[in-house]
Amino acid sequence: MDIELQRVVDGVDVAREEVLDDDRLEDWPGFFVEKGRYRITTAENYERGLPLPIIYADSRAMLADRVSALRHANIYEAQRYRHTVSSTLVERVDADTARATSNFQVVRIMHTGESMLFASGRYLDRIRLNGEGGEAMFEERVVVLDSRAIDTLLAIPI
Amino acid sequence: MDIELQRVVDGVDVAREEVLDDDRLEDWPGFFVEKGRYRITTAENYERGLPLPIIYADSRAMLADRVSALRHANIYEAQRYRHTVSSTLVERVDADTARATSNFQVVRIMHTGESMLFASGRYLDRIRLNGEGGEAMFEERVVVLDSRAIDTLLAIPI
Amino acid sequence: MDIELQRVVDGVDVAREEVLDDDRLEDWPGFFVEKGRYRITTAENYERGLPLPIIYADSRAMLADRVSALRHANIYEAQRYRHTVSSTLVERVDADTARATSNFQVVRIMHTGESMLFASGRYLDRIRLNGEGGEAMFEERVVVLDSRAIDTLLAIPI
C-alpha cells in the first residue's frame, strides 16, 4: 500500500460522503464512471454468493434515475445520514485501477431530531484512478450490510 | 492536501480528544489560541445562517470559565465521552493557517455503565499551525450537530 | 510520529479487525507474538490500578484456547462485530518496538439482524515491528472498556 494511492482513494471517498451527508444527492452519481456499478447487499447473501442485491445499478444514468425518484417520492427531507468510514485497505490492481475495502457506520438523523445507528458494514470498491477530468472514480462499489434488518428502510444511498 | 499538514492537524485533534475523553477538561482550553473561538450549533441553524449557537466562546479565558463552571456544577463525574473522528479534509489557507473539516460521533457513557450514541456532526476548523510554543492550535472550531435534540443535555464540550 | 511507522501499525490493526469481523477467529492469535499478552479491563479498574481484568491471556496458546472454547460453546454464530478504530497515536519505543493508542467502537449484529453499539473504549498496544516472518505483531494489547456494563456479555475478542 503506498501513501499517495491511499490519499487518492480516501479523497474520493470523503468527497462522496460529504455529498450524501449534505443531501447533495444529485452530485453523487458523478463519483462513478459512466458504466459504474453500485450494489447493496447483506453479509449473509454476500457470503452465500446469492445474487440478490437490495439495490443494483450498472450505470451513472441508473444512479441518477434513482436519485430523481427519491426526490419525487419526497422522503429525503425527513432524514439525514452521517457516515463514519475507517480501516481502509488499498491495493493497486494496475496502473489505472485500485481495489479498496473499508468499514462504515451510518447514523441516521430524523427530521424530529431523533438519531440512531442505522447501518454498518463494509465497502468493497474498485476505483479508476484517472477517470474523466483526471479524477478518481468508482468503477464498482459493493455495499455489504452487516444486518439484513435494514432492507426495507433504505432511501438515501449508503 | 499534503501529508505533513494532515499529520499536524490530526495530531492536535487527537490530543484534544484524549483530554476530553479522559476528563482532563482543564487542559482543553490550551488547544485554542488566546482569542480562539468555539461554537456549537445545529445543522439546521448553520444552513439557515442563524446566529444562534448553543454554546459560544471567543477566548481561551471563556473556555476556562466554562470548564470551571462544569466542575462546580459537579455533573462531570456522572458521564464520559468517547469520540470517533473520521473523514478529515485539510486545506492550507496560508503559511500559518489551515482549514479542516471532519465527521465526529460521540458516545456517552454514564456512571451506571449505560452507554449511547450521544451526538454526531461535523467539525469546521481553522487552525494556526504555529501557535504558542510552536504547537498547532485552534483559531476557531465550529461544531455542527446533526440533531437539534441534544441541546439541553450538553455538559462536556464536544 | 513518522508516517511509515503509522502505516505499519495501522496495517496490523486493520488486518486484525478483518479477522474478528469476518468471524475468522482462529487467525486472531497469529497477530500476537508467542508470549503476547491480551487483557480486557474497564476504565474504572484501569484508572484505579486494579488488577482485575475481565479477560487475560499471556501467550498465543492461551488465546488459541479461548477461541477453541468459543467455538465449542457454539455461541459465535449468533453474533458478529463491526469495528471502527480511530484517532491512533503511534510512538516509537526503540528500533524494534512501538507503542500505540487508539479509540474503538464495536457494533454487534445479532443473527436476527438486530444491531447495537456494543462497546467503546481505548486500545493500549505495544507492537513488535519485526515479528515472525517480518510481520508487525502485538506484544501486548490492553483493551480498556468505557463501560463496566458489558462484562458478562463478552464472547468474541474485542
Side-chain angles (χ1 to χ4, degrees), chain A residues 48-106:
Chain A
R48 291 181 185 174
L50 294 179
L52 296 168
I54 298 167
I55 287 175
Y56 181 82
D58 64 2
S59 71
R60 197 192 284 155
M62 273 183 77
L63 295 172
D65 279 352
R66 181 168 175 85
V67 169
S68 175
L70 264 177
R71 293 302 195 194
H72 284 93
N74 212 25
I75 53 174
Y76 64 92
E77 277 182 314
Q79 54 183 277
R80 284 289 184 92
Y81 284 172
R82 178 65 54 197
H83 283 76
T84 300
V85 177
S86 66
S87 312
T88 304
L89 280 178
V90 185
E91 190 189 355
R92 186 179 286 272
V93 176
D94 57 37
D96 300 323
T97 321
R99 283 189 188 286
T101 57
S102 42
N103 284 357
F104 68 85
Q105 281 183 26
V106 177

Side-chain angles (χ1 to χ4, degrees), chain A residues 7 17-18 82-84 113, chain B residues 1 87 103 105 122 146-147:
Chain A
R7 214 167 61 82
E17 269 178 75
E18 268 201 309
R82 178 65 54 197
H83 283 76
T84 300
Chain B
M1 182 165 61
S87 312
N103 284 357
Q105 281 182 28
R122 199 147 176 78
D146 287 325
S147 169

